[in-house]
């Protein structure tokens, strides 16, 4: 279900980049003199491989923070490809006399780890080492530091590459690099070259909205021109030992990538595969074209005419790669479904991100202009999984989040969330430094708490909570003086002030009167503070029901939780504003066993269910440890199988439950079971189920077990 971002610009350029690499190895402009060839193959084409690294970094690193699975998959995948192409090129190695060389073993190790057994294959080990190195630094430090460190490595690489002439002259430089070159033929490898591009790719993934098209295009133009100048000078002074690395290659690759991100549309995943195949296969094609030309005595046309040679190699490489990709697609191993495979084996949460986006739009429609949506993603985004929800919300333009605890806030930061994050609940003041480090805003529970936090001596951003009648957290709204003091604390940077309504979800007259009183108290305080000369910060009052029942308020934020996830708390709730909200989460499982029951036989613990007729029952591997409430035992709950409702029979166990499918038509083992999901009235929606066991959707969803999420 996870939606893949679509960057056709990146996908298309990958193919162009691969063709640039072909140019490096065929020198199409050679017949017109050396300058054109130098500019094309030694300068312009040098953006190709960094671009590949950045693409991998872009799609991978931003998710590394969560876990290492993607990295492990990337490394395995790359190693597998590496193994296959090594085998593919073995005949070439044999032909070249590779295995006759002296000191075969150490050279073989060196080639496998750094240089590649055929010259262009260095790219694959460099990807693996580069990805792991980049990942390590991003995890260990933050992005700016990781960029600095890997740029440092790149600098070391530069002096072993196109600035070698300078390093040679420096004391110790020559011996240092001589030592390096014993380990790896070039510094253009996984240690010095690749990591910085992986980190930059990841960095862009998390901040990509920040450079507009014009800035990126200008940045690219300028840095490309500078790189060209740089290359010319180096060539002029004869400093280059090799010509893969330039100082201005870094900004050049960065801005190029930014620029391509602006191309939106349908994803071209096949082009990615194709470009990799072209990269890997083109040397083979070069050999074949040469052999073919020799056989037919066409060397004059096919080889010596460098343009024809290049075009022939390109066409054959692309054609061959398309054929290979087709074969792979047909006969290669395929994953059945994306992402959730492991948990999909049993009971799993399915998230509908389109519905989430839809709900964001609906809520925004009800909000006054100038008011921002603060997405409440506490408790794993109400059980939906905070990583997937928060990263997607940020991509859809949400810039403010709220959580319940500091650790939830820190987790959002490690997921790469950049928007503001407000902690709604208590945080031990001893953790003030972490609040600052992760740029989290703390709710001030009352004045004494604020003072204690202030005493930590760390500058912390905060929102003041005002108690207007809920009597949970907050400084009393009548205590104007105390509230004012909070604004004056030296280390507290008050960014907001808010209150919470205690019965915004009810429309009985008394409740409405109470809510209005709360709202009046809040604004009375705001006015008094204003009179006292306090600069009024951002204000917010409404949660989901606050917005739906008091849409007329003009606040700076709406703190929406449950509505964002497309369900109401209870089935009987009524609202002033009617929005088309759609449920985001489904809890699904499958039928693992079907059995027949004779009249009079019992099911489950305590023999609570006795068949009143000959029955068919299905076992579902989901229980209260997965978050399916035990309160839904014995017919209170029902599940949907193939659009029929099947009642839960007997007691819900920790890990499984039984349903009666006698009337549910032709259910079979393996059929999907919807435990929670669908619209209200369909029998398995969160509000209905919650209502039937004396709770609300919020509790039902937020208590989903950890084992149902991937
Ligand atoms: C949880 C919470 C919210 C979100 O409430 P919903 O009813 O889920 O929208 C808003 N404000 C505060 C203070 C909360 O604790």
């Amino acid at each position: 279900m996870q939606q893949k971002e679509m960057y056709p610009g990146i996908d298309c350029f990958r193919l162009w980049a691969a063709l640039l690499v072909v140019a490096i190895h065929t020198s199409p402009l050679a017949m017109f003199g050396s300058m054109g060839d130098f500019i094309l193959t030694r300068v312009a084409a040098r953006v190709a491989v960094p671009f590949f690294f950045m693409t991998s970094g872009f799609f991978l690193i931003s998710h590394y923070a969560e876990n290492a699975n993607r990295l492990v998959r990337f490394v395995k995948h790359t190693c597998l490809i590496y193994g296959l192409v090594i085998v593919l090129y073995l005949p070439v190695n044999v032909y070249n006399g590779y295995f006759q060389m002296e000191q075969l073993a150490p050279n073989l190790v060196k080639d496998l780890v750094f240089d590649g057994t055929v010259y262009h294959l260095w790219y694959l080990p460099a990807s693996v080492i580069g990805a792991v190195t980049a990942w390590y630094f991003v995890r260990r430090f933050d992005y700016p530091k990781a960029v600095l460190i890997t740029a440092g490595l790149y600098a070391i690489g530069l002096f072993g590459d196109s600035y070698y002439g300078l390093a040679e002259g420096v004391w110790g430089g020559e011996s240092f690099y001589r030592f390096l070159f014993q380990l790896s033929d070039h510094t253009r490898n996984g240690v010095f070259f690749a990591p910085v591009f992986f980190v930059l790719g990841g960095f862009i993934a998390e901040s990509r909205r920040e450079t507009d098209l014009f800035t990126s295009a200008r940045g690219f133009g300028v840095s490309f021109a500078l790189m060209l100048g740089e290359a010319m000078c180096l060539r002029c002074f004869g400093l280059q030992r090799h010509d893969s690395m330039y100082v201005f290659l870094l900004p050049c690759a960065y801005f190029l990538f930014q620029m391509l991100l602006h191309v939106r549309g349908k994803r071209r995943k096949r082009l990615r595969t194709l470009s990799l195949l072209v990269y890997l296969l083109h040397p083979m094609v070069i050999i074949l074209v040469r052999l073919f030309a020799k056989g037919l005595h066409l060397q004059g046309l096919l080889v010596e005419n460098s343009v024809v040679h290049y075009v022939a190699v390109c066409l054959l490489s692309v054609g061959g790669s398309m054929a290979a990709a087709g074969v792979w697609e047909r006969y290669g191993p395929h994953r059945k479904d994306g992402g959730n495979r492991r948990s999909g084996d049993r009971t799993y949460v399915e998230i509908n991100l389109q519905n989430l986006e839809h709900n964001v739009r609906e809520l925004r429609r009800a909000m006054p202009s100038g008011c921002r949506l603060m997405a409440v993603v506490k408790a794993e985004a109400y059980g939906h999984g905070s990583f997937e929800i928060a990263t997607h919300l940020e991509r859809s333009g949400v810039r403010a989040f709220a959580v319940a605890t500091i650790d939830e806030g820190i987790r959002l930061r490690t997921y790469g969330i950049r928007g503001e994050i407000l902690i709604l609940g208590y945080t031990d003041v001893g953790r003030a430094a972490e609040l600052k480090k992760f740029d989290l805003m703390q709710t001030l529970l009352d004045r004494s708490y604020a003072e204690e936090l202030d005493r930590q001596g760390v500058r912390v951003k905060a929102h003041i909570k005002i108690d207007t009648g809920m009597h949970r957290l907050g400084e009393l709204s009548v205590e104007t003086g105390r509230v004012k003091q909070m604004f004056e604390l030296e280390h507290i940077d008050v960014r907001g002030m808010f209150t919470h309504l205690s019965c915004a979800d009810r429309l009985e007259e008394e409740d409405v009167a109470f809510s209005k009183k709360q709202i009046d108290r809040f604004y009375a305080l705001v006015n008094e503070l204003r009179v006292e000369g306090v600069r009024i910060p951002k204000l917010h009052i409404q949660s989901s029901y606050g917005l739906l029942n008091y849409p007329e308020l003009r606040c700076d934020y709406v703190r929406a939780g449950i509505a964002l996830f497309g369900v109401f708390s209870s089935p009987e709730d009524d609202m002033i504003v009617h929005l088309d909200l759609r449920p985001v989460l489904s809890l699904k499982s499958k039928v693992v066993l079907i059995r027949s029951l004779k009249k009079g036989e019992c099911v489950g613990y305590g023999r609570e269910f006795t068949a009143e007729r000959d029955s068919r029952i299905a076992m579902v591997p989901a229980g209260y440890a997965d978050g399916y409430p035990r309160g839904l035992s014995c017919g209170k709950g029902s599940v949907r199988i193939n659009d029929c409702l099947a009642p839960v029979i007997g007691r819900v166990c920790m890990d499984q439950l039984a349903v009666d499918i006698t009337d549910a038509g032709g259910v079979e083992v393996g059929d999907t079971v919807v435990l929670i999901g669908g619209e209200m009235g369909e029998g398995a929606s969160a509000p209905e189920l919650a209502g039937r066991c004396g709770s609300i959707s919020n509790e039902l969803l937020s208590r989903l077990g950890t084992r149902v999420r991937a």
Side-chain angles (χ1 to χ4, degrees):
M1 255 310 183
Q2 182 152 9
Q3 237 187 11
K4 295 288 186 301
E5 304 102 289
M6 318 195 194
Y7 297 102
I10 301 287
D11 296 337
C12 291
F13 190 79
R14 274 184 63 112
L15 186 60
W16 291 111
L19 296 180
L20 281 175
V21 175
V22 178
I24 296 179
H25 297 143
T26 53
S27 290
L29 301 182
M31 59 193 282
F32 307 114
S34 66
M35 189 44 95
D37 180 53
F38 179 77
I39 292 177
L40 175 65
T41 65
R42 311 290 126 177
V43 189
R46 292 308 185 196
V47 300
V49 170
F51 179 80
F52 286 143
F53 290 144
M54 283 181 81
T55 315
S56 306
F58 178 80
F59 288 107
L60 291 173
I61 291 205
S62 57
H63 301 280
Y64 285 5
E66 191 197 18
N67 57 40
N69 288 349
R70 276 164 173 261
L71 177 70
V72 171
R73 220 184 301 145
F74 176 77
V75 168
K76 275 191 191 158
H77 185 74
T78 311
C79 288
L80 176 70
I81 294 175
Y82 190 31
L84 288 175
V85 278
I86 285 177
V87 173
L88 181 71
Y89 279 96
L90 270 183
V92 178
N93 292 127
V94 172
Y95 182 78
N96 287 343
Y98 183 89
F99 295 103
Q100 266 101 54
M101 83 172 132
E102 287 171 37
Q103 297 194 310
L104 179 62
N107 271 308
L108 193 60
V109 172
K110 176 177 141 189
D111 284 347
L112 284 177
V113 179
F114 289 115
D115 300 326
T117 50
V118 182
Y119 55 90
H120 70 306
L121 293 187
W122 68 272
Y123 167 75
L124 294 168
S127 294
V128 170
I129 297 173
V132 173
T133 311
W135 177 79
Y136 174 77
F137 287 129
V138 172
R139 281 275 286 223
R140 181 82 177 68
F141 308 103
D142 51 5
Y143 267 107
K145 288 205 191 86
V147 170
L148 273 183
I149 294 168
T150 50
L153 290 172
Y154 186 83
I156 297 176
L158 271 178
F159 287 102
D161 196 88
S162 50
Y163 284 81
Y164 184 63
L166 293 181
E168 252 184 340
V170 179
W171 183 82
E174 195 185 348
S175 45
F176 172 70
Y177 283 101
R178 196 167 342 113
F179 170 69
L180 277 190
F181 293 139
Q182 277 175 3
L183 303 176
S184 167
D185 284 349
H186 301 285
T187 50
R188 176 222 57 190
N189 58 25
V191 180
F192 301 110
F193 183 56
V196 69
F197 297 108
F198 272 91
V199 174
L200 283 178
F203 177 69
I204 292 177
E206 292 181 16
S207 62
R208 58 175 164 264
R209 281 162 200 280
E210 286 172 16
T211 342
D212 61 71
L213 184 56
F214 179 69
T215 316
S216 328
R218 194 181 43 187
F220 174 67
V222 170
S223 32
F224 188 80
L226 288 170
M227 181 165 82
L228 201 59
E230 180 187 6
M232 290 300 180
C233 289
L234 294 169
R235 179 176 141 105
C236 199
F237 293 114
L239 294 178
Q240 290 174 297
R241 174 179 185 269
H242 191 251
D243 44 35
S244 278
M245 300 172 72
Y246 299 104
V247 173
F248 289 105
L249 181 55
L250 293 178
C252 209
Y254 177 84
F255 286 117
L256 173 67
F257 202 92
Q258 287 275 14
M259 213 162 75
L260 291 167
L261 284 179
H262 289 275
V263 185
R264 291 292 167 100
K266 247 184 93 182
R267 186 173 180 224
R268 301 291 173 82
K269 194 171 174 216
R270 280 174 125 183
L271 284 182
R272 286 189 208 168
T273 319
L274 195 63
S275 56
L276 180 65
L277 285 170
V278 168
Y279 182 91
L280 296 175
L281 299 181
H282 78 273
M284 197 60 107
V285 173
I286 295 177
I287 296 171
L288 291 177
V289 167
R290 283 169 187 247
L291 284 178
F292 182 75
K294 202 167 164 191
L296 293 182
H297 301 290
L298 284 175
Q299 278 128 318
L301 176 69
L302 276 182
V303 179
E304 276 148 40
N305 184 322
S306 58
V307 176
V308 175
H309 180 57
Y310 174 66
V311 172
V313 172
C314 284
L315 288 177
L316 281 173
S317 300
V318 172
S321 301
M322 282 168 78
V327 170
W328 179 261
E329 229 162 71
R330 249 193 109 155
Y331 302 108
H334 294 290
R335 281 205 289 148
K336 283 189 205 70
D337 86 311
N340 268 0
R341 194 163 49 124
R342 194 164 43 83
S343 57
D345 295 348
R346 185 178 166 271
T347 298
Y348 54 97
V349 157
E350 202 173 83
I351 296 297
N352 187 327
L353 292 172
Q354 269 106 18
N355 284 2
L356 179 68
E357 271 179 41
H358 171 85
N359 297 338
V360 168
R361 278 196 298 274
E362 283 291 292
L363 289 172
R364 285 199 171 132
R365 207 157 59 82
M367 283 160 40
S369 66
C371 174
R372 297 216 279 170
L373 179 66
M374 181 183 278
V376 182
V377 292
K378 57 193 180 190
E380 278 298 321
Y382 291 49
H384 292 59
S386 57
F387 174 73
E388 196 174 5
I389 297 294
T391 51
H392 195 77
L393 285 172
E394 191 160 75
R395 259 167 231 163
S396 343
V398 173
R399 290 285 172 271
F401 297 87
V403 292
T405 72
I406 182 171
D407 292 308
E408 289 178 346
I410 293 173
R411 222 170 299 137
L412 288 191
R413 288 288 181 235
T414 60
Y415 296 159
I417 297 297
R418 309 197 130 211
E420 39 191 61
I421 299 175
L422 174 63
I423 301 168
L424 295 168
Y426 166 79
T427 298
D428 189 311
V429 293
R431 302 186 69 179
E434 285 172 90
L435 291 173
K436 177 160 189 246
K437 177 173 175 200
F438 294 99
D439 192 16
L440 304 171
M441 299 191 289
Q442 174 58 41
T443 293
L444 303 177
L445 311 186
D446 69 352
R447 190 194 56 175
S448 340
Y449 177 85
E451 285 169 348
E452 224 183 301
L453 186 60
D454 181 58
R455 275 198 288 279
Q456 306 302 309
V458 180
R459 190 150 183 84
V460 169
K461 295 180 190 167
H463 283 216
I464 297 174
K465 178 98 183 247
I466 302 298
D467 177 9
T468 50
M470 181 144 178
H471 298 327
R472 202 171 61 170
L473 302 179
E475 186 55 70
L476 280 174
S477 56
V478 289
E479 298 283 359
T480 317
R482 285 163 165 265
V483 175
K484 183 160 179 259
Q485 284 163 5
M486 289 200 253
F487 279 94
E488 290 157 359
L489 294 170
E490 188 187 344
H491 300 107
I492 307 282
D493 175 7
V494 177
R495 297 290 180 102
M497 188 164 86
F498 70 105
T499 191
H500 198 42
L501 303 177
S502 52
C503 47
D505 54 341
R506 302 166 56 143
L507 288 177
E508 274 102 70
E509 214 172 299
E510 282 168 43
D511 296 316
V512 173
F514 190 82
S515 297
K516 295 220 156 125
K517 197 180 280 172
Q518 282 194 279
I519 295 164
D520 290 344
R521 284 176 183 152
F522 185 69
Y523 281 114
L525 171 69
V526 171
N527 282 334
E528 281 179 46
L529 288 170
R530 195 172 276 135
V531 169
E532 301 245 348
V534 172
R535 232 186 66 221
I536 303 301
K538 299 263 193 279
L539 302 176
H540 45 116
I541 301 176
Q542 303 135 294
S543 57
S544 298
Y545 283 93
L547 174 68
L548 297 174
N549 285 331
Y550 301 90
E552 68 280 2
L553 295 181
R554 293 279 173 271
C555 288
D556 294 302
Y557 296 103
V558 163
R559 304 182 304 270
I562 195 71
L564 205 52
F565 304 111
V567 291
F568 296 119
S569 296
S570 315
E572 61 270 8
D573 284 341
D574 197 13
M575 271 79 52
I576 303 269
V577 180
H578 290 275
L579 298 181
D580 168 31
L581 298 175
R582 301 176 186 167
V584 172
L585 175 143
S586 311
L587 181 67
K588 294 189 173 175
S589 186
K590 65 181 181 186
V591 173
V592 292
L593 190 72
I594 292 180
R595 58 189 338 141
S596 302
L597 225 55
K598 291 243 159 46
K599 183 177 168 185
E601 286 179 321
C602 309
V603 175
Y605 285 124
R607 300 196 297 139
E608 295 260 4
F609 174 84
T610 307
E612 286 166 5
R613 54 178 177 171
D614 289 351
S615 311
R616 278 180 88 221
I617 65 165
M619 293 308 303
V620 181
Y624 55 79
D626 300 295
Y628 197 84
R630 192 164 175 275
L632 292 175
S633 296
C634 305
K636 285 222 175 113
S638 46
V639 305
R640 279 200 354 256
I641 310 177
N642 307 334
D643 285 324
C644 291
L645 276 184
V648 173
I649 53 176
R651 285 190 198 153
V652 172
C653 311
M654 188 183 282
D655 318 299
Q656 50 197 317
L657 55 84
V659 294
D660 186 345
I661 53 168
T662 317
D663 301 322
V667 174
E668 286 173 30
V669 167
D671 283 356
T672 300
V673 176
V674 180
L675 294 156
I676 301 176
E679 300 295 332
M680 204 132 75
E682 291 179 353
S685 70
E688 286 169 275
L689 291 177
R692 279 188 240 149
C693 57
S695 181
I696 54 174
S697 306
N698 313 39
E699 183 186 5
L700 177 68
L701 297 175
S702 65
R703 291 180 67 155
L704 290 179
T706 47
R707 65 188 186 191
V708 298
R709 279 188 300 270

